[in-house]
Amino acid sequence: MAWLVTGGAGYIGAHIVRAFQADGIDVVVIDDLSSGHAQFVPDGVPFVRGSILDRPLLDRTFAEHTITGVVHVAGFKYAGVSVQRPLHTYEQNVTATVTLLAAMQEAGTDRIVFSSSAAVYGTPHTDLVTEETPKNPESPYGESKLIGEWLLRDQGVATGLAHTSLRYFNVVGSGSPELRDTSPHNLFPLVFDALVEGRTPRINGNDYATPDGTCVRDYIHVADLARSHVAAARRLDAGEPVEAVYNLGSGTGVSVGEIMSTVASVTGIGFEPEIGPRRPGDPDRIVASGELASRDLDWKMRHTLDEMVQSAWTSRQSAAL
Ligand SMILES: NC(=O)c1ccc[n+]([C@@H]2O[C@H](COP(=O)([O-])OP(=O)(O)OC[C@H]3O[C@@H](n4cnc5c(N)ncnc54)[C@H](O)[C@@H]3O)[C@@H](O)[C@H]2O)c1
Protein backbone atom coordinates (compact mmCIF):
# COMPACT_ATOMS: atom_id res chain seq x y z
CA MET A 1 0.00 0.00 0.00
CA ALA A 2 1.57 3.27 -1.09
CA TRP A 3 0.74 6.79 -2.22
CA LEU A 4 1.95 7.82 -5.66
CA VAL A 5 3.59 11.27 -5.82
CA THR A 6 3.58 12.68 -9.36
CA GLY A 7 6.38 15.22 -9.71
CA GLY A 8 8.10 13.68 -6.68
CA ALA A 9 11.54 14.60 -8.05
CA GLY A 10 10.71 18.30 -7.99
CA TYR A 11 11.26 20.88 -5.27
CA ILE A 12 7.91 20.51 -3.51
CA GLY A 13 7.25 16.87 -4.47
CA ALA A 14 10.56 15.74 -2.96
CA HIS A 15 9.61 17.38 0.34
CA ILE A 16 6.21 15.68 0.21
CA VAL A 17 7.91 12.32 -0.36
CA ARG A 18 10.05 12.87 2.74
CA ALA A 19 7.03 13.97 4.82
CA PHE A 20 5.16 10.78 3.87
CA GLN A 21 8.19 8.64 4.72
CA ALA A 22 8.57 10.42 8.07
CA ASP A 23 4.96 9.55 8.81
CA GLY A 24 5.45 5.89 7.89
CA ILE A 25 3.54 5.96 4.60
CA ASP A 26 5.19 4.22 1.61
CA VAL A 27 5.52 6.26 -1.56
CA VAL A 28 6.14 5.70 -5.25
CA VAL A 29 7.37 8.57 -7.43
CA ILE A 30 6.61 9.22 -11.08
CA ASP A 31 8.47 12.10 -12.71
CA ASP A 32 9.71 12.88 -16.22
CA LEU A 33 12.55 15.07 -14.88
CA SER A 34 11.46 17.96 -17.12
CA SER A 35 12.22 20.28 -14.20
CA GLY A 36 12.99 17.77 -11.42
CA HIS A 37 16.14 15.95 -10.36
CA ALA A 38 16.55 12.18 -9.98
CA GLN A 39 18.86 12.76 -7.00
CA PHE A 40 15.95 14.42 -5.11
CA VAL A 41 14.25 11.00 -4.88
CA PRO A 42 15.45 9.20 -1.74
CA ASP A 43 17.18 5.84 -2.08
CA GLY A 44 14.74 2.98 -1.73
CA VAL A 45 11.72 4.88 -3.07
CA PRO A 46 10.44 3.26 -6.27
CA PHE A 47 11.01 5.80 -9.04
CA VAL A 48 9.17 5.58 -12.36
CA ARG A 49 10.87 7.87 -14.84
CA GLY A 50 8.39 9.13 -17.43
CA SER A 51 5.49 11.42 -18.13
CA ILE A 52 2.02 11.17 -16.66
CA LEU A 53 0.85 11.92 -20.20
CA ASP A 54 2.02 8.37 -21.00
CA ARG A 55 -1.11 6.38 -20.22
CA PRO A 56 0.42 2.89 -20.71
CA LEU A 57 3.21 3.88 -18.29
CA LEU A 58 0.63 5.02 -15.74
CA ASP A 59 -1.33 1.78 -16.18
CA ARG A 60 1.84 -0.25 -15.60
CA THR A 61 2.67 1.82 -12.52
CA PHE A 62 -0.77 1.23 -11.01
CA ALA A 63 -0.54 -2.48 -11.90
CA GLU A 64 2.94 -2.93 -10.38
CA HIS A 65 2.28 -1.11 -7.10
CA THR A 66 -0.67 -1.13 -4.76
CA ILE A 67 -1.51 2.54 -4.84
CA THR A 68 -4.20 3.80 -2.49
CA GLY A 69 -3.97 7.48 -3.34
CA VAL A 70 -2.15 10.06 -5.43
CA VAL A 71 -0.56 13.38 -4.54
CA HIS A 72 -0.62 15.11 -7.92
CA VAL A 73 2.23 17.60 -7.83
CA ALA A 74 3.59 17.29 -11.41
CA GLY A 75 2.98 20.33 -13.54
CA PHE A 76 4.38 23.20 -15.54
CA LYS A 77 4.62 26.02 -13.02
CA TYR A 78 6.02 29.04 -14.82
CA ALA A 79 3.06 31.44 -14.83
CA GLY A 80 4.88 34.12 -16.84
CA VAL A 81 6.11 31.67 -19.48
CA SER A 82 2.65 30.10 -19.72
CA VAL A 83 1.41 33.26 -21.46
CA GLN A 84 3.78 32.46 -24.37
CA ARG A 85 3.23 28.70 -24.14
CA PRO A 86 -0.49 28.18 -23.46
CA LEU A 87 -0.78 24.89 -25.32
CA HIS A 88 2.20 23.40 -23.51
CA THR A 89 0.77 24.59 -20.20
CA TYR A 90 -2.66 23.09 -20.87
CA GLU A 91 -1.11 19.85 -22.07
CA GLN A 92 1.06 19.48 -18.94
CA ASN A 93 -1.50 20.69 -16.42
CA VAL A 94 -4.88 19.77 -17.90
CA THR A 95 -4.42 16.90 -20.39
CA ALA A 96 -1.95 15.26 -17.99
CA THR A 97 -4.44 15.54 -15.12
CA VAL A 98 -7.19 14.02 -17.29
CA THR A 99 -4.84 11.15 -18.21
CA LEU A 100 -3.94 10.58 -14.56
CA LEU A 101 -7.58 10.63 -13.43
CA ALA A 102 -8.53 8.17 -16.15
CA ALA A 103 -5.73 5.79 -15.13
CA MET A 104 -6.77 6.13 -11.47
CA GLN A 105 -10.36 5.33 -12.33
CA GLU A 106 -9.31 2.26 -14.31
CA ALA A 107 -7.07 1.11 -11.44
CA GLY A 108 -9.72 1.80 -8.78
CA THR A 109 -7.53 4.36 -6.95
CA ASP A 110 -10.04 6.79 -5.50
CA ARG A 111 -8.11 9.39 -3.47
CA ILE A 112 -6.20 12.42 -4.69
CA VAL A 113 -4.55 15.53 -3.27
CA PHE A 114 -3.83 18.16 -5.93
CA SER A 115 -1.20 20.92 -6.04
CA SER A 116 -3.17 24.02 -6.94
CA SER A 117 -2.00 27.60 -6.75
CA ALA A 118 -2.70 31.11 -5.53
CA ALA A 119 -2.64 31.96 -9.26
CA VAL A 120 -6.31 30.89 -9.48
CA TYR A 121 -7.19 34.19 -7.75
CA GLY A 122 -5.36 36.48 -10.18
CA THR A 123 -5.31 39.92 -8.57
CA PRO A 124 -7.54 39.59 -5.51
CA HIS A 125 -9.16 42.82 -4.35
CA THR A 126 -9.04 41.98 -0.67
CA ASP A 127 -6.50 42.21 2.15
CA LEU A 128 -6.95 38.56 3.09
CA VAL A 129 -7.73 35.94 0.48
CA THR A 130 -10.08 33.17 1.59
CA GLU A 131 -11.27 30.14 -0.37
CA GLU A 132 -14.40 32.16 -1.19
CA THR A 133 -12.48 35.01 -2.83
CA PRO A 134 -13.48 35.19 -6.53
CA LYS A 135 -11.29 33.21 -8.90
CA ASN A 136 -9.94 35.33 -11.73
CA PRO A 137 -6.79 33.64 -13.05
CA GLU A 138 -4.71 35.93 -15.25
CA SER A 139 -2.50 33.41 -17.05
CA PRO A 140 -2.87 30.06 -18.79
CA TYR A 141 -1.05 28.67 -15.75
CA GLY A 142 -3.68 29.96 -13.28
CA GLU A 143 -6.46 28.85 -15.60
CA SER A 144 -4.97 25.37 -15.94
CA LYS A 145 -4.80 24.98 -12.14
CA LEU A 146 -8.43 26.04 -11.77
CA ILE A 147 -9.43 23.53 -14.44
CA GLY A 148 -7.45 20.89 -12.51
CA GLU A 149 -9.60 21.64 -9.45
CA TRP A 150 -12.77 21.35 -11.56
CA LEU A 151 -11.61 18.01 -12.98
CA LEU A 152 -11.26 16.61 -9.46
CA ARG A 153 -14.62 18.03 -8.42
CA ASP A 154 -16.38 16.59 -11.47
CA GLN A 155 -14.71 13.16 -11.10
CA GLY A 156 -15.77 13.27 -7.46
CA VAL A 157 -19.41 13.71 -8.47
CA ALA A 158 -19.20 11.11 -11.23
CA THR A 159 -17.19 8.37 -9.52
CA GLY A 160 -16.99 9.18 -5.80
CA LEU A 161 -13.31 10.17 -6.07
CA ALA A 162 -12.25 11.57 -2.69
CA HIS A 163 -10.24 14.72 -3.38
CA THR A 164 -8.87 17.97 -2.15
CA SER A 165 -6.90 20.76 -3.82
CA LEU A 166 -4.32 22.77 -1.92
CA ARG A 167 -3.74 26.30 -3.18
CA TYR A 168 -0.13 27.14 -2.38
CA PHE A 169 1.02 30.69 -1.90
CA ASN A 170 4.77 31.53 -2.15
CA VAL A 171 6.62 28.35 -1.31
CA VAL A 172 10.19 28.89 -0.08
CA GLY A 173 12.86 27.38 2.14
CA SER A 174 14.21 23.88 2.36
CA GLY A 175 13.54 20.95 4.66
CA SER A 176 16.79 19.12 3.76
CA PRO A 177 20.04 20.65 2.54
CA GLU A 178 20.02 18.47 -0.59
CA LEU A 179 16.67 19.88 -1.75
CA ARG A 180 16.17 23.30 -3.22
CA ASP A 181 14.02 25.34 -5.55
CA THR A 182 15.85 25.41 -8.89
CA SER A 183 13.23 27.50 -10.69
CA PRO A 184 14.80 30.18 -12.88
CA HIS A 185 11.83 32.48 -12.17
CA ASN A 186 11.21 32.43 -8.39
CA LEU A 187 12.42 35.20 -6.08
CA PHE A 188 14.69 33.19 -3.75
CA PRO A 189 16.67 31.38 -6.48
CA LEU A 190 16.99 34.64 -8.44
CA VAL A 191 18.36 36.52 -5.43
CA PHE A 192 20.76 33.73 -4.46
CA ASP A 193 21.96 33.25 -8.03
CA ALA A 194 22.72 36.97 -8.22
CA LEU A 195 24.67 36.87 -4.95
CA VAL A 196 26.63 33.74 -5.90
CA GLU A 197 27.51 35.26 -9.28
CA GLY A 198 28.50 38.61 -7.76
CA ARG A 199 25.54 40.56 -9.16
CA THR A 200 23.27 42.85 -7.16
CA PRO A 201 19.78 41.44 -6.58
CA ARG A 202 16.99 43.48 -8.08
CA ILE A 203 13.59 44.60 -6.82
CA ASN A 204 10.95 45.04 -9.52
CA GLY A 205 9.30 48.28 -8.53
CA ASN A 206 9.24 50.18 -5.24
CA ASP A 207 6.22 52.38 -5.85
CA TYR A 208 3.48 49.94 -4.88
CA ALA A 209 0.79 50.85 -2.33
CA THR A 210 2.52 48.95 0.50
CA PRO A 211 4.37 50.18 3.61
CA ASP A 212 7.84 50.08 1.98
CA GLY A 213 6.65 50.39 -1.63
CA THR A 214 7.66 46.84 -2.61
CA CYS A 215 5.25 43.98 -3.33
CA VAL A 216 3.88 42.05 -0.36
CA ARG A 217 3.47 38.29 -0.64
CA ASP A 218 2.63 35.34 1.56
CA TYR A 219 5.74 33.17 2.06
CA ILE A 220 5.34 29.64 3.42
CA HIS A 221 7.95 27.02 4.27
CA VAL A 222 8.01 24.01 1.98
CA ALA A 223 8.37 21.51 4.87
CA ASP A 224 5.27 22.94 6.60
CA LEU A 225 3.41 22.67 3.33
CA ALA A 226 4.56 19.06 2.85
CA ARG A 227 3.17 18.02 6.26
CA SER A 228 -0.28 19.22 5.30
CA HIS A 229 -0.29 16.80 2.37
CA VAL A 230 0.25 13.94 4.81
CA ALA A 231 -2.64 15.23 6.95
CA ALA A 232 -4.82 15.45 3.82
CA ALA A 233 -3.89 11.90 2.78
CA ARG A 234 -4.60 10.61 6.29
CA ARG A 235 -8.03 12.22 6.25
CA LEU A 236 -8.84 10.75 2.85
CA ASP A 237 -7.59 7.32 3.98
CA ALA A 238 -9.84 7.55 7.07
CA GLY A 239 -12.83 8.64 5.00
CA GLU A 240 -13.03 11.90 6.95
CA PRO A 241 -14.60 14.93 5.31
CA VAL A 242 -12.35 17.43 3.58
CA GLU A 243 -12.99 20.72 1.84
CA ALA A 244 -12.68 20.73 -1.94
CA VAL A 245 -10.01 23.44 -1.64
CA TYR A 246 -7.74 24.87 1.03
CA ASN A 247 -5.49 27.90 0.96
CA LEU A 248 -2.03 27.20 2.31
CA GLY A 249 -1.25 30.76 3.32
CA SER A 250 0.14 32.26 6.51
CA GLY A 251 -2.22 35.20 6.99
CA THR A 252 0.84 37.48 7.11
CA GLY A 253 2.48 39.43 4.36
CA VAL A 254 6.19 40.02 3.88
CA SER A 255 7.52 42.59 1.42
CA VAL A 256 10.22 41.94 -1.15
CA GLY A 257 12.21 44.67 0.61
CA GLU A 258 12.01 42.72 3.89
CA ILE A 259 13.11 39.55 2.10
CA MET A 260 16.14 41.38 0.74
CA SER A 261 17.22 42.67 4.16
CA THR A 262 16.70 39.20 5.68
CA VAL A 263 18.83 37.71 2.89
CA ALA A 264 21.56 40.29 3.57
CA SER A 265 21.60 39.53 7.30
CA VAL A 266 21.41 35.72 6.89
CA THR A 267 24.10 35.51 4.21
CA GLY A 268 26.29 38.20 5.70
CA ILE A 269 26.59 39.72 2.22
CA GLY A 270 25.81 43.41 2.51
CA PHE A 271 24.01 44.77 -0.55
CA GLU A 272 21.59 47.49 -1.58
CA PRO A 273 19.15 45.96 -4.05
CA GLU A 274 18.86 47.58 -7.46
CA ILE A 275 15.43 49.01 -8.14
CA GLY A 276 14.08 48.05 -11.55
CA PRO A 277 10.76 48.82 -13.19
CA ARG A 278 7.54 47.12 -12.11
CA ARG A 279 6.77 43.79 -13.76
CA PRO A 280 3.48 44.00 -15.64
CA GLY A 281 0.61 42.38 -13.75
CA ASP A 282 2.29 42.23 -10.31
CA PRO A 283 -0.36 43.09 -7.68
CA ASP A 284 0.56 45.18 -4.59
CA ARG A 285 -0.28 42.54 -2.06
CA ILE A 286 -1.46 38.92 -1.93
CA VAL A 287 -1.90 37.38 1.50
CA ALA A 288 -4.16 34.45 2.35
CA SER A 289 -5.91 33.04 5.37
CA GLY A 290 -4.94 29.44 6.11
CA GLU A 291 -7.70 29.05 8.71
CA LEU A 292 -9.51 26.12 7.08
CA ALA A 293 -6.24 24.25 6.55
CA SER A 294 -5.27 24.90 10.20
CA ARG A 295 -8.56 23.36 11.28
CA ASP A 296 -8.30 20.24 9.09
CA LEU A 297 -4.76 19.73 7.80
CA ASP A 298 -2.38 20.38 10.68
CA TRP A 299 -1.41 23.54 8.85
CA LYS A 300 0.67 26.08 10.69
CA MET A 301 3.79 28.14 10.18
CA ARG A 302 6.50 26.25 12.02
CA HIS A 303 9.29 28.41 10.61
CA THR A 304 10.16 32.10 10.86
CA LEU A 305 11.18 34.24 7.92
CA ASP A 306 14.81 33.97 9.04
CA GLU A 307 14.54 30.17 9.03
CA MET A 308 12.97 30.17 5.58
CA VAL A 309 15.79 32.28 4.17
CA GLN A 310 18.52 30.44 6.11
CA SER A 311 17.39 26.96 5.03
CA ALA A 312 17.08 28.06 1.39
CA TRP A 313 20.53 29.65 1.51
CA THR A 314 22.10 26.57 3.12
CA SER A 315 20.67 24.30 0.41
CA ARG A 316 21.78 26.75 -2.31
CA GLN A 317 25.29 26.68 -0.90
CA SER A 318 25.42 22.88 -0.64
CA ALA A 319 24.40 22.73 -4.30
CA ALA A 320 27.33 24.97 -5.20
CA LEU A 321 29.83 22.68 -3.43
N1 LIG B 1 6.75 26.62 -6.09
C1 LIG B 1 5.68 27.35 -5.80
O1 LIG B 1 5.80 28.42 -5.17
C2 LIG B 1 4.31 26.85 -6.20
C3 LIG B 1 3.19 27.66 -5.89
C4 LIG B 1 1.93 27.21 -6.24
C5 LIG B 1 1.76 25.98 -6.86
N2 LIG B 1 2.86 25.23 -7.17
C6 LIG B 1 2.63 23.94 -7.85
O2 LIG B 1 3.29 22.92 -7.13
C7 LIG B 1 3.76 21.91 -8.01
C8 LIG B 1 5.23 21.64 -7.74
O3 LIG B 1 5.97 22.84 -7.89
P1 LIG B 1 7.54 22.85 -7.69
O4 LIG B 1 7.88 24.22 -7.25
O5 LIG B 1 7.98 21.69 -6.90
O6 LIG B 1 8.01 22.71 -9.22
P2 LIG B 1 9.04 21.72 -9.88
O7 LIG B 1 9.15 22.15 -11.31
O8 LIG B 1 10.29 21.63 -9.06
O9 LIG B 1 8.29 20.32 -9.78
C9 LIG B 1 7.43 19.80 -10.76
C10 LIG B 1 7.85 18.37 -11.00
O10 LIG B 1 6.93 17.76 -11.90
C11 LIG B 1 7.68 17.05 -12.89
N3 LIG B 1 6.82 17.00 -14.08
C12 LIG B 1 6.38 18.04 -14.81
N4 LIG B 1 5.58 17.60 -15.81
C13 LIG B 1 5.52 16.25 -15.68
C14 LIG B 1 4.85 15.21 -16.40
N5 LIG B 1 4.08 15.48 -17.46
N6 LIG B 1 5.01 13.94 -15.98
C15 LIG B 1 5.78 13.63 -14.90
N7 LIG B 1 6.44 14.57 -14.19
C16 LIG B 1 6.30 15.86 -14.58
C17 LIG B 1 8.94 17.86 -13.07
O11 LIG B 1 10.01 17.14 -13.63
C18 LIG B 1 9.23 18.27 -11.63
O12 LIG B 1 9.99 17.30 -10.95
C19 LIG B 1 3.49 22.40 -9.43
O13 LIG B 1 2.30 21.76 -9.89
C20 LIG B 1 3.26 23.88 -9.24
O14 LIG B 1 2.38 24.39 -10.21
C21 LIG B 1 4.12 25.64 -6.85
Side-chain angles (χ1 to χ4, degrees):
M1 303 266 275
W3 275 67
L4 176 69
V5 181
T6 72
Y11 167 54
I12 294 173
H15 281 90
I16 293 172
V17 165
R18 282 158 179 75
F20 272 72
Q21 287 186 308
D23 211 56
I25 304 174
D26 287 338
V27 276
V28 174
V29 166
I30 183 165
D31 198 300
D32 66 359
L33 301 184
S34 50
S35 55
H37 311 276
Q39 69 271 22
F40 281 9
V41 182
D43 289 344
V45 169
F47 174 36
V48 180
R49 181 173 176 177
S51 173
I52 56 166
L53 283 156
D54 182 343
R55 178 64 196 275
L57 180 67
L58 281 177
D59 289 343
R60 283 201 301 281
T61 304
F62 282 104
E64 281 166 19
H65 303 273
T66 310
I67 292 168
T68 41
V70 176
V71 187
H72 178 30
V73 184
F76 182 71
K77 70 165 177 176
Y78 305 132
V81 182
S82 78
V83 176
Q84 307 308 325
R85 300 188 67 194
L87 301 184
H88 178 75
T89 306
Y90 276 94
E91 183 181 49
Q92 294 300 321
N93 293 355
V94 177
T95 310
T97 303
V98 171
T99 309
L100 174 68
L101 290 171
M104 289 176 65
Q105 184 174 345
E106 179 82 19
T109 300
D110 60 359
R111 295 162 210 169
I112 186 167
V113 178
F114 173 57
S115 298
S116 187
S117 168
V120 302
Y121 296 109
T123 305
H125 299 289
T126 173
D127 268 354
L128 198 61
V129 175
T130 70
E131 289 78 359
E132 299 307 313
T133 297
K135 267 58 74 190
N136 289 308
E138 289 169 359
S139 65
Y141 170 73
E143 289 162 353
S144 71
K145 287 292 176 181
L146 193 52
I147 295 171
E149 293 182 5
W150 294 342
L151 287 170
L152 267 58
R153 176 196 67 191
D154 294 346
Q155 262 306 83
V157 171
T159 68
L161 176 75
H163 63 94
T164 189
S165 295
L166 309 183
R167 294 177 180 151
Y168 311 158
F169 283 69
N170 294 69
V171 187
V172 296
S174 173
S176 312
E178 75 279 12
L179 300 182
R180 68 193 178 97
D181 183 2
T182 54
S183 158
H185 304 287
N186 284 358
L187 177 66
F188 276 42
L190 283 173
V191 173
F192 292 151
D193 285 351
L195 291 179
V196 167
E197 290 159 19
R199 290 179 286 110
T200 308
R202 162 193 279 232
I203 291 181
N204 298 307
N206 64 351
D207 56 352
Y208 288 90
T210 59
D212 68 7
T214 67
C215 288
V216 169
R217 294 289 179 270
D218 191 337
Y219 295 92
I220 57 177
H221 193 286
V222 64
D224 295 341
L225 169 118
R227 282 174 75 140
S228 285
H229 292 70
V230 178
R234 290 271 182 216
R235 278 188 89 96
L236 295 181
D237 278 343
E240 288 168 5
V242 285
E243 301 289 338
V245 293
Y246 293 93
N247 284 339
L248 295 185
S250 69
T252 313
V254 175
S255 75
V256 176
E258 289 172 274
I259 297 282
M260 294 287 181
S261 34
T262 310
V263 168
S265 86
V266 161
T267 61
I269 305 174
F271 66 91
E272 261 315 307
E274 264 173 30
I275 307 297
R278 286 180 173 216
R279 279 190 316 195
D282 258 351
D284 299 332
R285 172 188 157 93
I286 304 182
V287 176
S289 162
E291 219 175 287
L292 281 184
S294 305
R295 186 194 67 191
D296 293 348
L297 304 183
D298 192 26
W299 168 246
K300 62 177 166 191
M301 296 285 282
R302 295 176 168 88
H303 296 84
T304 62
L305 178 59
D306 270 22
E307 287 164 345
M308 293 194 237
V309 173
Q310 180 66 67
S311 60
W313 177 237
T314 304
S315 66
R316 178 65 180 80
Q317 284 183 304
S318 359
L321 294 176

